[in-house]
């Protein structure tokens, strides 16, 4: 790899320094007289460059593989025209000295290739001009023009398709950016090729005019300046002029072929020869051609000695191709190694993915690629969206079919724990009761697996009737995907580990190196950072603005706080981030509060048992949950966002208590609400609650009786 890198650098540096020098040489060839030896070297270099360009064009798998072709074509055309100017000067100045006066290359093309007969050479040049100008150049120019027009017309649609794939989660932002660059380069390429085809056409016309100038100028100079007879001047100067025209026209023809090959190229994994070979490799077409030639060869007037052998060659090629196909078909698949029954692999005892979706056999069509894999597409979009929302990369979801499950049942597992299980019917639709129904439709009653709403499974034909009746209708893949999304959000802390914490710190180092240096490992160990992040994710606080969390941790590092104290202190410093996950910044925060009497009891319970995971007495806890349910259930049913507000002392314990029954209810403290944030009290929990647990050494019965 190091050698390749060095070679690419050397090539880049050489290209940067050689290109200006090459342009100076082009100018020098046009204005400074050169010797025949330099002309010979330049003509050979011109032929070599043309062949190189042709070979690169033929090896390209798609047009953009040779995206520099329009510029290369321009430079090669300028080089050839500069040689025409230089050779014209030599022919007109030294042509009277003989056919070798302009160098051996022009002499060879003027004598050897056309047999010394300048009339034959003139006709050969005209034929080459017709082929190049009328056939190849005109056709390539037309293809370039149409391709440029269609490419530019399709550009907005391609951009919209990329945006749609990006929004659906089928592309990463980096892949979308690369696709946009590619289609922009494609549009620029075909637009440049449309103009570059004019260079080829102009070069062919220039070759014809230069030939005319050389012939007329040579005859005038030979007769009037050098005293040659008209026949001598014609024999010498016309031969040199035609040799000069041919030595320039052949590279021009090669470039025209390269241009035509590039613009007519269709994207393929093979180069041009491989693509053509693969499409002519069918034995049936060769056998059919052989049969037609054989019948044609039976006609008495036809040359049987030529047509019948050609027919036999076609039959032979078809037979060989058929044998090759049969050999490939008969090749047995490599036998799988017989497993050793005594060997146990790690894959048998561990799962590679932390998220797993198991489906019954009837749900396999939802992940079948032949049917579009609707569920797999949604899962990819869910992972991408949740990664953005949660602030870390959600691991891939492993989808497997499990024959032990009933046909329509699916099961969601996170970190090996089953967090969701229900059934869907792939050929039906789920109609959710919106609570405002006009009429009711017939169907199989069930509960929505994600939110527990009343719902019906209905036939697809009844979808429009259900929508008209006021139901919200969703397809089976959406049901599973929504359930999976909710399960991953609820178990995000189980998916987050030390490796994810290290990834957050590494990303912090790239953008805020000083902050990352003070955070870890000097300030906090990696396991402690991971533990704090998991505690925040448990209460559905995202990590997408990890910089704010890190700044809070660094600011609190001198206080030597315990784990739970650190979590509460960090929450208070990032309160604005927490609140904005509940309601938008411009809206007041709806809150459910406790009456002063209830809040005093909650605080006393936590102070009496500060280290307890569940400091509330069972009866008291049940009463609290009941009253909270009475207050928040109307808000949950109306899908209204709100927060349950408590004092900082009891917030953590109360959150654990509420989360077990109402996982979607956010429990925050007064200190987490920004001073500038407006609040709106939508409910107050103030009923009497049973006695709290205060420990055997601190009975509170008298105090409770007073309350």
């Amino acid at each position: 790899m190091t050698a390749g890198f060095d070679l690419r650098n050397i090539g880049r540096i050489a290209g940067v320094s050689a290109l200006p020098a090459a342009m100076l040489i082009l100018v020098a060839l046009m204005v400074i007289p050169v010797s025949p030896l330099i002309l010979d070297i330049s003509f050979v270099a011109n032929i070599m460059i043309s062949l190189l360009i042709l070979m690169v064009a033929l090896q390209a798998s798609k047009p953009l593989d040779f995206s520099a072709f329009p510029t290369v074509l321009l430079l090669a055309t300028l080089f050839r025209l500069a040689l025409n100017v230089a050779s014209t000067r030599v022919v007109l100045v030294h042509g009277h000295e003989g056919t070798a006066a302009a160098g051996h290359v022009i002499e060879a093309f003027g004598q050897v290739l056309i047999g010394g007969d300048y009339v034959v050479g003139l006709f050969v040049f005209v034929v080459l001009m017709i082929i190049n100008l009328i056939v190849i150049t005109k056709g390539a120019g037309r293809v370039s023009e149409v391709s440029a027009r269609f490419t530019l017309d399709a550009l907005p649609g391609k951009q919209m398709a990329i945006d749609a794939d990006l929004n659906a989660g089928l592309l990463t932002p980096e892949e979308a950016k690369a696709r946009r660059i590619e289609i922009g380069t494609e549009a620029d390429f075909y637009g440049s090729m449309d103009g570059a085809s004019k260079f080829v056409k102009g070069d062919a016309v220039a070759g014809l005019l230069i030939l005319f100038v050389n012939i007329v100028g040579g005859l005038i100079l030979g007769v009037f300046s050098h005293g040659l007879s008209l026949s001598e001047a014609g024999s010498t100067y016309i031969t040199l002029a035609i040799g000069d025209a041919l030595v320039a026209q052949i590279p021009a023809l090669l470039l025209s072929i390269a241009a035509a090959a590039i613009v007519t190229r269709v994207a393929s994994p093979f180069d041009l020869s491989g693509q053509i070979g693969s499409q002519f490799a069918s034995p049936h077409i060769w056998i059919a051609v052989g049969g037609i030639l054989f019948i044609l060869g039976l006609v008495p007037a036809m040359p049987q000695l030529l047509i019948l052998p050609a027919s036999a060659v076609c039959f032979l090629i078809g037979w060989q191709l058929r044998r090759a196909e049969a050999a490939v078909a008969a090749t047995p698949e490599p036998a799988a190694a017989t497993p050793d029954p005594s060997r146990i692999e790690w894959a048998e005892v561990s799962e590679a993915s932390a998220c797993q979706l198991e489906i019954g056999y009837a749900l396999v069509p939802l992940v079948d690629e032949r049917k579009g894999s609707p569920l797999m597409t949604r899962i990819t979009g869910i992972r991408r969206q949740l990664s953005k929302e949660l602030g870390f990369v959600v691991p891939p979801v492993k989808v497997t079919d499990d024959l032990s499950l009933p046909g329509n049942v699916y099961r969601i597992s996170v970190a090996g724990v089953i967090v969701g299980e229900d059934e869907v019917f792939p050929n039906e639709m789920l109609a959710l009761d919106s609570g405002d129904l006009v009429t009711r439709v017939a169907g199989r009653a069930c509960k929505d697996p994600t939110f527990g709403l009343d719902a019906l499974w209905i036939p697809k034909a009844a979808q429009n009737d259900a929508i008209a009746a006021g139901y919200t209708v969703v397809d089976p893949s959406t049901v599973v995907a929504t359930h999976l999304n909710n399960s991953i959000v609820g178990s995000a802390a189980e998916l987050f580990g030390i490796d994810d914490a290290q990834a957050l710190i590494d990303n912090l180092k790239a953008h805020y190196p000083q902050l990352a240096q003070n955070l870890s490992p000097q300030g906090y160990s990696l396991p402690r950072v991971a533990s704090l992040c998991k505690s925040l994710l448990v209460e559905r606080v995202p990590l997408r603005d990890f910089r704010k969390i890190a700044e809070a941790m660094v600011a609190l590092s001198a206080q030597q706080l315990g784990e739970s104290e650190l979590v509460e202190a960090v929450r208070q410093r990032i309160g604005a981030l927490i609140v904005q996950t509940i309601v938008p910044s411009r809206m007041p925060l709806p809150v459910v509060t406790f009456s002063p009497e209830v809040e005093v009891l909650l605080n006393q319970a936590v102070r009496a048992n500060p280290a307890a995971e569940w400091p509330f007495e069972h009866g008291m806890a049940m009463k609290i949950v009941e009253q909270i349910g009475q207050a928040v259930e109307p808000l949950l049913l109306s899908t209204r966002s709100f927060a349950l507000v408590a004092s900082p002392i009891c917030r953590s314990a109360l959150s654990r208590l509420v989360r077990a029954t109402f996982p979607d209810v956010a429990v925050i403290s007064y200190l987490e609400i920004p001073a500038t944030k407006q609040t709106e009290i939508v409910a107050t929990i103030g009923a009497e609650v049973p006695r709290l647990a205060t420990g055997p050494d601190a009975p509170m019965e008298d105090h409770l009786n007073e309350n």
Side-chain angles (χ1 to χ4, degrees):
M1 182 177 292
T2 303
F5 178 78
D6 293 339
L7 288 175
R8 287 194 295 269
N9 282 343
I10 292 172
R12 189 179 297 111
I13 295 171
V16 169
S17 59
L19 190 58
M23 298 304 296
L24 292 177
I25 292 173
L26 290 181
V27 176
L29 287 174
M30 292 183 183
V31 299
I32 299 175
V34 295
S35 65
L37 177 60
I38 294 178
L39 271 182
D40 287 343
I41 296 174
S42 300
F43 280 130
V44 173
N46 186 26
I47 296 173
M48 179 188 69
I49 291 172
S50 301
L51 288 172
L52 282 173
I53 294 173
L54 177 62
M55 292 300 106
V56 174
L58 295 179
Q59 292 295 322
S61 298
K62 58 182 182 293
L64 289 185
D65 288 346
F66 198 3
S67 58
F69 182 74
T71 304
V72 172
L73 183 62
L74 170 63
L75 296 177
T77 302
L78 290 177
F79 181 43
R80 188 167 56 256
L81 292 176
L83 287 180
N84 283 334
V85 174
S87 62
T88 297
R89 182 186 298 108
V90 173
V91 168
L92 295 180
V93 173
H94 301 287
H96 64 283
E97 298 175 5
T99 56
H104 296 291
V105 175
I106 292 179
E107 181 184 21
F109 275 84
Q111 290 187 350
V112 178
L113 294 185
I114 62 176
D117 190 338
Y118 58 82
V119 177
V120 175
L122 187 61
F123 286 127
V124 170
F125 175 78
V126 171
V127 171
L128 288 177
M129 284 290 298
I130 293 173
I131 294 173
N132 189 9
L133 185 61
I134 305 300
V135 180
I136 300 176
T137 303
K138 185 175 181 180
R142 179 58 178 165
V143 172
S144 299
E145 179 183 355
V146 174
S147 299
R149 184 180 304 167
F150 284 141
T151 301
L152 292 175
D153 289 344
L155 189 60
K158 292 180 179 179
Q159 292 281 11
M160 293 175 63
I162 293 175
D163 293 337
D165 289 346
L166 180 62
N167 294 332
L170 301 179
L171 292 177
T172 63
E174 292 75 16
E175 292 171 341
K177 183 179 180 181
R179 288 271 297 274
R180 290 191 183 98
I181 293 175
E182 182 180 357
I183 65 174
T185 304
E186 183 182 15
D188 293 341
F189 173 79
Y190 282 110
S192 300
M193 282 302 302
D194 187 22
S197 62
K198 306 299 188 295
F199 295 142
V200 179
K201 181 178 180 181
D203 179 38
V205 175
L208 184 62
L209 296 177
I210 291 172
L211 173 65
F212 177 76
V213 170
N214 283 339
I215 292 176
V216 174
L219 291 176
I220 294 175
L221 289 174
V223 173
F224 295 101
S225 297
H226 302 294
L228 300 177
S229 64
L230 186 60
S231 61
E232 291 175 340
S235 175
T236 301
Y237 282 99
I238 294 178
T239 300
L240 289 175
I242 292 174
D244 179 34
L246 288 176
V247 80
Q249 194 60 35
I250 290 179
L253 183 62
L254 295 177
L255 287 182
S256 299
I257 296 173
I262 282 290
V263 298
T264 58
R265 191 79 172 89
V266 177
S268 169
F270 307 104
D271 57 16
L272 186 58
S273 59
Q275 185 179 12
I276 294 175
S278 63
Q279 295 177 1
F280 278 85
S282 173
H284 306 290
I285 60 175
W286 288 97
I287 293 174
V289 171
I292 294 172
L293 289 178
F294 179 76
I295 295 173
L296 189 62
L298 297 180
V299 178
M302 292 294 173
Q304 286 86 1
L305 293 179
L306 295 177
I307 295 180
L308 292 179
S311 173
V313 169
C314 291
F315 280 124
L316 179 61
I317 293 175
W319 178 65
Q320 291 289 349
L321 290 174
R322 177 166 290 181
R323 284 188 59 190
E325 285 186 354
V328 171
T331 302
E333 292 289 338
T338 304
D340 185 359
S342 64
R343 183 179 178 85
I344 302 176
E345 301 291 343
W346 276 107
E348 300 180 44
V349 296
S350 64
E351 288 292 344
S353 178
C355 299
Q356 188 170 5
L357 174 63
E358 299 170 281
I359 58 176
Y361 64 88
L363 304 184
V364 171
L366 296 179
V367 296
D368 191 352
E369 292 184 0
R370 295 171 297 182
K371 298 185 178 181
S373 303
L375 181 56
M376 299 304 296
T377 303
R378 292 182 182 273
I379 290 176
T380 302
I382 286 173
R383 281 192 61 224
R384 195 176 309 283
Q385 185 63 29
L386 286 181
S387 297
K388 293 179 181 178
E389 293 178 358
L390 297 175
F392 69 96
V393 178
V394 174
V397 179
K398 182 180 180 181
V399 182
T400 58
D401 57 329
D402 190 345
L403 296 179
S404 65
L405 291 176
N408 294 309
V409 173
Y410 66 90
R411 178 185 296 156
I412 301 171
S413 303
V414 176
V417 178
I418 298 175
V419 295
E421 183 174 345
D422 214 296
E423 64 176 353
V424 295
F425 301 89
N427 297 320
E428 298 181 11
M429 305 292 283
L430 184 66
L432 300 173
D433 187 347
S434 62
D436 188 17
L437 301 179
V438 178
T439 59
R440 293 191 175 274
V441 298
R444 187 166 48 258
C446 66
K447 291 286 187 180
D448 169 53
T450 305
F451 306 107
L453 301 177
D454 292 331
L456 298 172
W457 282 106
I458 61 174
K460 290 184 177 181
Q463 177 179 354
N464 294 333
D465 295 336
I467 294 174
Y471 288 90
T472 301
V473 181
V474 292
D475 59 273
S477 61
T478 302
V479 174
V480 179
T482 305
H483 195 183
L484 177 65
N485 178 87
N486 193 67
S487 300
I488 292 177
V489 171
S491 306
E494 301 298 326
L495 298 175
F496 190 89
I498 290 182
D499 292 331
D500 301 293
Q502 184 63 58
L504 288 176
I505 295 174
D506 291 342
N507 187 59
L508 198 66
K509 288 179 181 178
H511 299 89
Y512 307 97
Q514 291 300 321
L515 177 59
Q517 183 178 357
N518 284 276
L519 176 66
S520 178
Q522 292 86 350
Y524 298 90
S525 64
L526 185 60
R528 195 174 187 194
V529 174
S531 176
L532 174 71
C533 293
K534 289 172 73 72
S535 298
L536 294 175
L537 289 171
V538 165
E539 299 195 57
R540 303 196 177 186
V541 177
L543 308 177
R544 58 175 176 266
D545 197 346
F546 185 67
R547 179 179 68 87
K548 289 286 187 181
I549 299 173
E551 287 177 347
M553 295 177 68
V554 170
L556 296 167
S557 60
Q559 299 184 22
Q560 302 296 323
L561 300 175
E563 292 296 329
S564 59
E565 295 172 333
L566 178 63
V567 172
E568 293 303 309
V570 169
R571 285 181 60 96
Q572 293 171 13
R573 289 178 175 264
I574 63 169
L577 296 177
I578 297 174
V579 170
Q580 76 178 12
T581 63
I582 303 173
V583 292
S585 59
R586 295 183 179 181
M587 291 180 57
L589 174 65
V591 297
V592 176
T593 62
F594 292 93
S595 66
E597 296 80 11
V598 174
E599 192 157 328
V600 167
L601 295 178
L602 296 175
N603 291 340
Q604 288 178 348
V606 174
R607 287 194 182 102
N609 300 278
E613 185 77 11
W614 303 96
F616 308 117
E617 187 184 49
H618 178 70
M620 179 183 184
M622 295 296 293
K623 190 66 175 179
I624 291 173
V625 172
E626 179 184 351
Q627 294 189 7
I628 290 176
Q630 293 174 0
V632 304
E633 280 184 357
L635 299 173
L636 293 174
L637 291 175
S638 63
T639 66
R640 186 175 182 183
S641 298
F642 66 95
L644 182 62
V645 180
S647 72
I649 298 173
C650 65
R651 192 215 66 84
S652 179
L654 187 63
S655 176
R656 290 192 293 272
L657 178 64
V658 173
R659 191 165 59 245
T661 307
F662 304 102
D664 296 327
V665 175
V667 181
I668 65 176
S669 74
Y670 299 120
L671 298 181
E672 294 173 16
I673 303 176
T676 58
K677 187 67 176 180
Q678 295 182 351
T679 59
E680 175 189 357
I681 299 178
V682 294
T684 300
I685 301 172
E688 293 183 359
V689 294
R691 179 176 60 86
L692 66 162
T694 57
D697 299 329
M700 302 278 301
E701 293 183 6
D702 295 339
H703 180 76
L704 288 171
N705 291 332
E706 295 175 2
N707 287 285

